[in-house]
Amino acid sequence: MLVLLLAVLGVGGVLAFGLVSGDGEAAPDPGPATSVAPPASSPTPERSIPAPLPTRTVKPPTAKPPVTPSVRPPVKPAESAVELARRFVAQLNANNSAAATALGCASAKQVLPLLIKQWIEPPTKLTVGEPFGQQPTFGIPLAGTTKGSAVGGLMVVQKLSDEPLCVRAFTISPK
């Protein structure tokens, strides 16, 4: 058993030395290689120097005609919180999350698509209730159906000094 253990440790040591010294590395075929003969006074052989790899000609990309982004007309600011809420709900009912998000406040434009995706699924038929609160923040009740279930919720509409009247957030829950 002792002899077998020493043999295994010896083979493992030789393999480990080969891996550490880099002689056991597998390298891709570098192509034709030229050998350099070692000088007569040098006792160690030098490695061969691989020939340069062939160069590849790369064609420059062809110029495509510039694409003019579709320009949406600016969203007309709502006159009242109820009007804005009705426009927002109309877009939710039409399953148009991009248009609904456009009615959101600048700081809410990243959150609104997530809320819409989480809570709204066609067929949707929501209606708005009477707003409560006062300038700059209004709460507007929501009621109707979405995802085939009766729901109720609340929309927050704000009018901050540097922004037009906009949807800050909304929530919907099953009744």
Side-chain angles (χ1 to χ4, degrees):
M1 290 287 269
L2 184 60
V3 173
L4 183 60
L5 180 63
L6 289 174
V8 169
L9 288 175
V11 170
V14 170
L15 289 175
F17 176 76
L19 290 174
V20 171
S21 68
D23 290 339
E25 292 182 11
D29 186 15
T34 58
S35 160
V36 177
S41 64
S42 175
T44 58
E46 293 186 20
R47 290 188 173 202
S48 62
I49 300 172
L53 296 173
T55 58
R56 191 184 300 171
T57 305
V58 178
K59 293 180 183 179
T62 58
K64 294 181 182 179
V67 177
T68 307
S70 62
V71 178
R72 293 183 187 175
V75 177
K76 178 185 168 195
E79 298 293 323
S80 70
V82 173
E83 178 191 348
L84 178 65
R86 285 188 180 130
R87 287 169 53 187
F88 183 79
V89 166
Q91 297 305 326
L92 294 179
N93 290 341
N95 195 28
N96 189 350
S97 63
T101 301
L103 297 171
C105 299
S107 62
K109 291 204 189 253
Q110 291 182 342
V111 174
L112 284 175
L114 299 173
L115 296 175
I116 292 169
K117 186 176 181 179
Q118 179 180 356
W119 289 319
I120 303 296
E121 185 176 300
T124 300
K125 291 186 180 183
L126 296 174
T127 59
V128 298
E130 289 299 314
F132 58 90
Q134 59 186 359
Q135 198 76 326
T137 304
F138 298 96
I140 301 175
L142 300 173
T145 60
T146 188
K147 297 184 181 182
S149 301
V151 295
L154 180 68
M155 179 186 321
V156 178
V157 175
Q158 284 188 323
K159 169 66 174 108
L160 299 177
S161 61
D162 59 339
E163 306 186 271
L165 193 61
C166 57
V167 176
R168 176 72 54 196
F170 76 100
T171 184
I172 292 179
S173 61
K175 282 189 173 183

